[in-house]
Amino acid sequence: MTDESSDWEKRQRWLDSIVALREGRVLTQHDQDILVEHYDRVQRDLGAAVAELAPEYARRIREDGKDAADEWLAAASRELGVQSGRELRRTVDSLSIDPDS
């Protein structure tokens, strides 16, 4: 199985769960659209971020050694995760779901 087909299958499983929530009237069509857009944007942005980190990681391996480069990569990855989490929170907060229902 290629990474591309695996990515498609992951997206399809995720989309199926979002559609089920809409069909169960937990989400509106608008909420579903927001979540699909968010998922696609995160995947695209993550791919771009990895592509941007790779040359810097390679440079750090050459200049600072693998251990230091790995520490830098771990810190950069954590920051990407924090940023992604903040964006997800904003997205979820924009949905029409009533947390008290």
Side-chain angles (χ1 to χ4, degrees):
M1 181 183 317
T2 67
D3 287 339
E4 188 175 305
S5 66
S6 177
D7 290 345
W8 182 88
E9 289 172 358
K10 287 178 192 174
R11 184 184 187 279
Q12 192 59 47
R13 282 192 305 271
W14 178 85
L15 183 55
D16 290 345
S17 67
I18 297 301
V19 168
L21 288 172
R22 183 183 48 78
E23 288 172 351
R25 298 180 185 212
V26 175
L27 298 175
T28 65
Q29 181 64 50
H30 181 70
D31 291 340
Q32 176 183 325
D33 295 344
I34 288 171
L35 289 170
V36 169
E37 179 184 323
H38 174 80
Y39 181 90
D40 290 341
R41 184 176 57 251
V42 165
Q43 295 306 307
R44 185 179 54 249
D45 291 351
L46 182 59
V50 168
E52 289 177 15
L53 292 176
E56 178 63 14
Y57 178 65
R59 183 195 68 76
R60 287 174 183 261
I61 288 175
R62 282 191 313 275
E63 295 178 10
D64 303 330
K66 184 156 178 12
D67 290 342
D70 286 349
E71 287 180 29
W72 171 83
L73 185 59
S77 297
R78 276 190 299 277
E79 181 57 30
L80 284 173
V82 167
Q83 290 173 4
S84 181
R86 286 181 185 138
E87 178 62 27
L88 178 58
R89 179 81 256 167
R90 283 190 293 273
T91 299
V92 169
D93 286 348
S94 74
L95 301 177
S96 61
I97 300 170
D98 182 359
D100 297 324
S101 63

